[in-house]
Amino acid sequence: MGDDNKAKDIMAYLAPSNASVFDHLSEVLTNVAISNPENPVESFHKISREVLENSLRWTDEPAPVKQDNSKQVECQNLFRVQKAEADPATSISKASKVGTDTYVPDIGAETEMLNWTGLSVGGVNATRIMLSIRQLAAVHPEFKSVRFFGKILGKQADYYVCEAEVTACDEAPPKGLIPKHPEKRNFEKAQQHNRFKYYVCHSPGAPWTALPNLRYYQLLAVPNIKRLFTGNLNAPMATFPPFPGETEAEYLRAKIAHIGERTVMSPAGFFTEVPADPEAKRKYHSIAPSPEWAPPEDLSGYAAEAWPTSAWARHYPQVPDADEFGEDFVPDETGKWPDIDPEAWPIRPLTDEEDGPLWIARQCSHQLKAKAPVCLISRQYPGAVVVLQGKKFVNFYIGFGNQENDKMYTPTFQENLVMPPVCADVIYKVHREPTVERDADGNITATIPPEVKPRYPLEGWLHFNDEQADLRDKMYVEWEELKKKEAEEKAAAEAAAAEGA
């Protein structure tokens, strides 16, 4: 018995798998006894292989593949409804007293309208975006309206952009500055744009991230910059001309304002201007839908063969003009500064010369043109469209955020760019220790800095001139010698012909 156990241990040691050599040989010999081959020695290897193949199995199972279920979880969270808080004493849910009057458009219906233009995010993504925007509106009841602005493409990730309109800017102006201080005007001249709050996310249903407020200097600098977005809001901004911002989030906010100012349009007469009125507690100019506007029965006028500029208008805040404070803009005797009018929010009509070539207008159906949707396609910003159908219209943008033009782009030279001084004294400066003078006791009495002349050019160096032919190009020298030789031969031939005559 001891020898049998020892043999089993040795065979088990020789087999690294779970099946031992002893068990394998036992099964092979059993098959040999059952099949009773004519030549068992020659058939041994064949039977051993058949037994091994029949008992072959995976000894080490691979590790399970980890699945990324983050998008499924985000989609499930879209259908969750926040429950009301319960009273800790009675455990009864309290009714929510805070209601929201935020207007959220039907993004599904807008997606069907955008299908006429060929640009869309898809039906499933549109549903996710609509649910996500509704959750955002429920968290922020101070919003007047929330809409889906569009999608900006990036190198590593894309930005889904949501636009929320607020009654006033959520940031306080800087204090302790005079009214015409550049920093204060930098904030105040962008207040109309900051009445729109923008949120971005990388996928439909992901949490929204708020973009910082805009500054006037950023709005002026962004048209001169062409740059692809990385998809990382914290990416540093290194551009030329320089952008007055540190991260891509600030650049994205300025680029959205620039795109909106150029591409957001509405039917003429849909919006009306509402002037500021301090008595009615309206500090700023604004716009509002006109109750008198009604769509015409025939929509073909919005997409006539000639550019219908009179049928459309821009209603997005424009870029304010630079300030021009005169010499009389000084405080009075009491120290009070003159009042500065708030920035206007004008509704700008389109012009044939400037805006006509920048858009393509067409109807989406050749049948029943009076009721067919009308779409505008931007040539200046590829991916920007406007669709009008009945009383509804939608603005949408999808693209890289850069302006399209057929001209060669050359960055503008900045006036404050200073080139470093370059001279031989700076490049070839030799460091030598200063000369130290000491008295009889060894104390330092004076330190004399050394006078080091530039190393180059050295004395005796030759410079190119007409007399120094050795510094000329070799081919040029050979060509001159050949020309001189031909002239001498020609002169000799002429002299010989003259003597013969």
Side-chain angles (χ1 to χ4, degrees):
M1 290 296 294
D3 296 340
D4 295 340
N5 294 334
K6 185 176 181 181
K8 289 183 179 181
D9 294 340
I10 293 174
M11 292 181 180
Y13 174 77
L14 294 176
S17 61
N18 295 331
S20 64
V21 179
F22 182 82
D23 296 336
H24 176 70
L25 292 177
S26 299
E27 190 172 354
V28 171
L29 295 176
T30 302
N31 291 341
V32 170
I34 294 174
S35 61
N36 192 15
E38 296 181 357
N39 193 349
V41 177
E42 295 181 358
S43 303
F44 181 82
H45 294 286
K46 180 179 179 182
I47 297 174
S48 176
R49 183 177 182 84
E50 292 177 354
V51 171
L52 184 61
E53 291 178 352
N54 293 334
S55 61
L56 184 63
R57 61 182 183 273
W58 292 106
T59 56
D60 298 329
E61 296 183 359
V65 179
K66 295 182 179 180
Q67 297 182 356
D68 186 10
N69 299 326
S70 58
K71 293 187 177 180
Q72 288 81 349
V73 174
E74 292 174 356
C75 186
Q76 293 176 1
N77 294 334
L78 295 177
F79 293 91
R80 292 183 179 180
V81 180
Q82 292 184 349
K83 298 181 179 180
E85 298 181 359
D87 189 356
T90 61
S91 299
I92 299 177
S93 298
K94 300 179 182 179
S96 179
K97 298 181 180 180
V98 180
T100 175
D101 296 332
T102 305
Y103 171 71
V104 180
D106 187 357
I107 300 179
E110 291 183 351
T111 303
E112 294 181 0
M113 294 174 60
L114 291 173
N115 288 335
W116 290 100
T117 65
L119 297 178
S120 177
V121 294
V124 177
N125 288 339
T127 304
R128 293 180 180 178
I129 292 171
M130 181 176 62
L131 295 174
S132 180
I133 288 179
R134 287 180 178 177
Q135 287 188 353
L136 180 65
V139 177
H140 298 276
E142 69 275 9
F143 292 163
K144 294 175 58 179
S145 63
V146 184
R147 76 177 185 96
F148 181 51
F149 182 87
K151 180 180 178 181
I152 295 182
L153 308 178
K155 294 187 292 184
Q156 301 175 3
D158 302 332
Y159 293 114
Y160 291 84
V161 185
C162 170
E163 178 187 281
E165 184 181 359
V166 296
T167 55
C169 180
D170 58 351
E171 185 179 1
K175 298 181 180 180
L177 302 177
I178 61 176
K180 64 177 182 179
H181 194 277
E183 292 299 327
K184 190 171 183 179
R185 296 302 297 162
N186 186 26
F187 172 84
E188 292 178 347
K189 293 182 74 66
Q191 280 189 338
Q192 295 289 22
H193 287 270
N194 288 331
R195 294 178 66 178
F196 292 99
K197 193 73 177 179
Y198 289 92
Y199 294 82
V200 296
C201 64
H202 292 307
S203 61
W208 294 100
T209 303
L211 296 180
N213 288 329
L214 184 65
R215 293 295 182 264
Y216 178 63
Y217 294 155
Q218 297 174 353
L219 193 59
L220 295 179
V222 73
N224 300 323
I225 299 175
K226 279 193 172 183
R227 184 179 186 270
L228 292 178
F229 290 93
T230 62
N232 181 14
L233 293 176
N234 297 324
M237 282 297 299
T239 62
F240 183 82
F243 178 75
E246 297 180 357
T247 60
E248 186 173 279
E250 301 176 71
Y251 176 71
L252 176 61
R253 175 64 183 89
K255 180 62 74 172
I256 291 174
H258 180 67
I259 295 174
E261 193 264 339
R262 300 293 181 90
T263 62
V264 175
M265 297 193 303
S266 60
F270 185 88
F271 288 101
T272 180
E273 298 180 10
V274 180
D277 188 359
E279 297 180 358
K281 297 183 180 180
R282 291 197 304 265
K283 298 181 180 180
Y284 309 103
H285 300 281
S286 62
I287 61 174
S290 175
E292 301 177 356
W293 182 84
E297 296 181 358
D298 188 0
L299 295 179
S300 59
Y302 287 91
E305 295 182 358
W307 172 246
T309 54
S310 59
W312 298 93
R314 302 179 187 272
H315 64 272
Y316 197 87
Q318 66 175 359
V319 180
D321 298 330
D323 292 325
E324 294 182 1
F325 296 107
E327 298 179 356
D328 55 345
F329 191 83
V330 292
D332 56 10
E333 298 176 355
T334 61
K336 183 179 179 180
W337 286 84
D339 295 333
I340 301 177
D341 296 333
E343 298 298 331
W345 191 339
I347 298 176
R348 292 92 61 195
L350 274 66
T351 58
D352 293 325
E353 294 78 9
E354 297 180 0
D355 300 314
L358 302 181
W359 292 88
I360 301 174
R362 64 178 179 86
Q363 281 193 290
C364 301
S365 176
H366 294 285
Q367 299 177 353
L368 194 60
K369 291 186 176 182
K371 303 295 182 182
V374 177
C375 69
L376 301 181
I377 303 174
S378 176
R379 292 178 175 177
Q380 186 179 19
Y381 281 92
V385 295
V386 184
V387 184
L388 172 65
Q389 186 176 16
K391 295 183 179 181
K392 298 181 180 180
F393 70 94
V394 57
N395 292 272
F396 181 76
Y397 175 77
I398 178 171
F400 290 95
N402 290 326
Q403 181 178 346
E404 181 71 17
N405 54 28
D406 54 353
K407 299 179 180 179
M408 183 179 296
Y409 176 73
T410 303
T412 58
F413 184 78
Q414 298 297 309
E415 297 179 357
N416 57 353
L417 184 63
V418 179
M419 299 299 294
V422 178
C423 63
D425 295 343
V426 177
I427 298 177
Y428 303 109
K429 188 174 182 180
V430 181
H431 176 73
R432 292 183 181 180
E433 295 295 334
T435 304
V436 179
E437 296 182 357
R438 302 177 182 272
D439 55 8
D441 299 333
N443 299 323
I444 299 176
T445 58
T447 302
I448 304 174
E451 294 183 1
V452 181
K453 297 182 179 180
R455 185 176 178 182
Y456 300 103
L458 299 177
E459 296 182 0
W461 278 34
L462 300 178
H463 298 273
F464 176 80
N465 52 45
D466 294 338
E467 289 77 15
Q468 296 172 343
D470 56 332
L471 296 180
R472 296 184 184 181
D473 185 75
K474 182 179 179 181
M475 296 180 62
Y476 179 73
V477 174
E478 293 178 354
W479 177 78
E480 281 191 341
E481 293 178 355
L482 180 61
K483 186 177 180 181
K484 184 179 180 181
K485 184 177 179 181
E486 291 178 353
E488 292 177 353
E489 292 178 354
K490 183 177 180 181
E494 292 178 355
E499 291 177 358

